[in-house]
Amino acid sequence: IHTDWQPRISGLPLKSVAALLSIEGRLIAGGTGGIAYSPDGGKSWQKAEMQEAVDSVLALAVPSHFAQSKIVLAATLENGILRSDDRGKHWYSVISGLENLETTALTWIDESNVLVGTTNGIYHSSNDGQSWLITEGSKGYEVGALTSMSNGTALAALESGGLLSSADSGITWNKLENI
């Protein structure tokens, strides 16, 4: 049992938190009410500036080159993907190519390739999330979670209980049988 845990969400300007990210001493929280960030480990919080109103954030992700790029992506339930280029202070929409704005999961494959799961398939971006293309074999599947493994394999957990697998950095997908 951890006895050193202390509540640190005092002043958090969100109704609830669905995603929490810690990067370079900064906390970024997403949830009902948008996105907030804390530069001091959660002692104080500031509401992020949004280009448009956002109701629900479900996932946050950063690339391996975050120290140079300062990019953070957010999956939202109604607004598609949001992007910040300044460590989470300001956010704007990056939905070019997204046919479905109900985004549920995010994962970076490598320095510039990122995947987003939606309620109707998986989209791939090869330019740090600036634009998106539907991936082969994923359309019609409701994605609950995504991960990228060190061997280059990507996995998608489906809301129906199954798994999709990609051996080519998320470009094409196959349903795993008998799992």
Side-chain angles (χ1 to χ4, degrees), residues 24-71:
E24 294 186 350
R26 174 182 291 260
L27 290 176
I28 303 172
T32 304
I35 300 171
Y37 63 93
S38 171
D40 56 14
K43 293 176 186 169
S44 65
W45 291 89
Q46 296 177 355
K47 184 112 171 149
E49 292 185 33
M50 313 297 269
Q51 184 181 47
E52 57 189 64
V54 173
D55 287 332
S56 298
V57 174
L58 299 181
L60 297 165
V62 296
S64 60
H65 64 286
F66 175 81
Q68 295 80 32
S69 71
K70 311 294 186 230
I71 297 170

Side-chain angles (χ1 to χ4, degrees), residues 122 143-147 154-158 162-166 173:
I122 301 166
V143 177
L146 288 166
T147 192
L155 295 174
L158 304 177
L163 281 177
L164 296 179
S165 176
S166 173
W173 293 86

Side-chain angles (χ1 to χ4, degrees), residues 10-166:
S10 178
L12 182 65
L14 304 177
K15 293 177 186 168
S16 66
V17 175
L20 185 63
L21 183 67
S22 174
I23 188 84
E24 294 186 350
R26 174 182 291 260
L27 290 176
I28 303 172
T32 304
I35 300 171
Y37 63 93
S38 171
D40 56 14
K43 293 176 186 169
S44 65
W45 291 89
Q46 296 177 355
K47 184 112 171 149
E49 292 185 33
M50 313 297 269
Q51 184 181 47
E52 57 189 64
V54 173
D55 287 332
S56 298
V57 174
L58 299 181
L60 297 165
V62 296
S64 60
H65 64 286
F66 175 81
Q68 295 80 32
S69 71
K70 311 294 186 230
I71 297 170
V72 186
L73 295 180
T76 73
L77 196 52
E78 304 91 5
N79 303 81
I81 298 297
L82 302 178
R83 178 179 160 134
S84 171
D85 296 319
D86 62 2
R87 303 176 70 216
K89 289 182 186 179
H90 303 88
W91 296 82
Y92 60 94
S93 180
V94 285
I95 59 170
S96 177
L98 278 181
E99 297 169 20
N100 185 335
L101 299 183
E102 291 182 64
T103 58
T104 56
L106 282 168
T107 192
W108 288 86
I109 298 295
D110 57 35
E111 283 200 14
S112 59
N113 291 285
V114 62
L115 301 172
V116 60
T118 74
T119 56
N120 192 25
I122 301 166
Y123 290 78
H124 174 266
S125 172
S126 60
N127 57 5
D128 288 332
Q130 293 286 3
S131 61
W132 303 91
L133 293 171
I134 189 74
T135 59
E136 184 180 324
S138 74
K139 193 160 182 138
Y141 289 108
E142 189 171 346
V143 177
L146 288 166
T147 192
S148 172
M149 298 166 45
S150 60
N151 66 0
T153 300
L155 295 174
L158 304 177
E159 290 293 332
S160 64
L163 281 177
L164 296 179
S165 176
S166 173

